Amino acid sequence: MKITVLIAEDDLDMRYVIRKVVEEVEGVKVVGEAGDGLEAIKLIRELTPQVVFLDIDLPGKNGIELAREIFDINPWTCIVFATAFSEFRGEAFDVYAFDYLVKPFKMNRVRQTMDRIRLVLSGKAADSPKAYSKNLSKKQFFRHQGRFVYLDLEDIIYITKEGRKSTIYFIGGKIKTNEKLSVLEEQLEGYPFFRSHSGFIVNLKMVKELVPAGRSSYELVMENTKNRPLITVEKFKELEEWANSKSN
């Protein structure tokens, strides 16, 4: 399979080295290079590379900021940090970096990273994003702290927005992910999850009862949690219409 790569690095010599090494890997093509963060994000939007090599200390927009924007554009982009700064490793994996290479790194280390990326993109790795099939099974992978967590959909109670992340509450725990609720809603299409509110997606199989919570919303009493997500009056009417259509 063909793998497209973009390199964002302000050091021309380092860009040359990374390009030379990654293009030695069969089927890999460098489709763009950028010397600063602003140029990089423009090229990423235009070229949609599958892999982006990022320096941290980029002019215009640093690598961490750039990684967040890349995630918003396409959360499945494999981001590889190649930098002299080891102290940003934690922040890098918060934005789901695939790998973090600290300069000076051995060229074989880059090759190993590309080999792992090839496995993931081809669907042969256990943590492959191809697990996100719209053809839903009863289990799915969800990104969490730089790894994939395999959850049984029937165990998910509800999902909500908390700060900059979405939190998935399930029987026995919770995980946080950078995916937006709109992305998760689309991902869960076909299973009885319902967008009850701008800030909540609920598993209808877990709903026990509705309790009025003001003029415009209800609280949902759920199985397996004391938390009560919200459903708006408008969404409740939509749910009633949907339920009636299914019963007819």
Side-chain angles (χ1 to χ4, degrees), residues 64 67-68 71 79 81 90-97 143 178:
I64 298 296
R68 292 193 181 104
F71 187 89
I79 298 172
F81 282 92
E91 289 182 68
F93 286 111
D94 279 344
V95 290
Y96 299 126
R143 285 192 173 208
N178 278 358

Side-chain angles (χ1 to χ4, degrees), residues 54-67:
L54 285 180
D55 190 9
I56 292 284
D57 189 22
L58 283 171
K61 191 183 294 287
N62 71 43
I64 298 296
E65 294 172 328
L66 193 56

Side-chain angles (χ1 to χ4, degrees), residues 15 38 94 121 144 146 168 170 179 197 204 221 245:
R15 281 213 308 269
L38 297 177
D94 279 344
L121 293 180
H144 172 65
I168 301 173
F170 59 93
E179 274 91 345
H197 184 281
L204 294 176
V221 180
S245 70

Side-chain angles (χ1 to χ4, degrees), residues 99-215:
D99 207 346
Y100 194 95
L101 311 179
V102 179
K103 302 172 184 173
F105 43 78
K106 294 181 178 179
M107 294 303 101
N108 192 49
R109 181 72 169 78
V110 180
R111 295 185 188 96
Q112 289 173 355
T113 296
M114 290 306 302
D115 286 340
R116 288 198 296 121
I117 287 174
R118 179 189 297 283
L119 286 174
V120 169
L121 293 180
S122 66
K124 294 178 181 177
D127 59 356
S128 168
K130 288 196 173 183
Y132 283 93
S133 170
K134 291 246 180 136
N135 224 348
L136 292 180
S137 64
K138 288 188 176 181
K139 298 187 78 172
Q140 280 196 49
F141 284 99
F142 295 88
R143 285 192 173 208
H144 172 65
Q145 295 181 349
R147 56 193 173 92
F148 289 87
V149 177
Y150 202 34
L151 292 182
D152 191 320
L153 299 185
E154 293 184 354
D155 289 343
I156 295 175
I157 306 167
Y158 73 96
I159 306 169
T160 188
K161 191 72 174 175
E162 294 181 352
R164 298 184 63 175
K165 295 180 181 290
S166 297
T167 302
I168 301 173
Y169 286 86
F170 59 93
I171 297 173
K174 64 181 181 179
I175 60 171
K176 291 184 180 291
T177 176
N178 278 358
E179 274 91 345
K180 297 178 180 179
L181 287 184
S182 58
V183 173
L184 292 170
E185 182 182 14
E186 182 179 352
Q187 179 185 327
L188 293 167
E189 185 180 358
Y191 190 85
F193 286 96
F194 183 69
R195 186 71 177 267
S196 64
H197 184 281
S198 61
F200 294 95
I201 299 170
V202 298
N203 183 345
L204 294 176
K205 290 186 176 182
M206 294 282 185
V207 176
K208 293 167 59 178
E209 61 179 297
L210 281 72
V211 178
R215 293 183 178 180

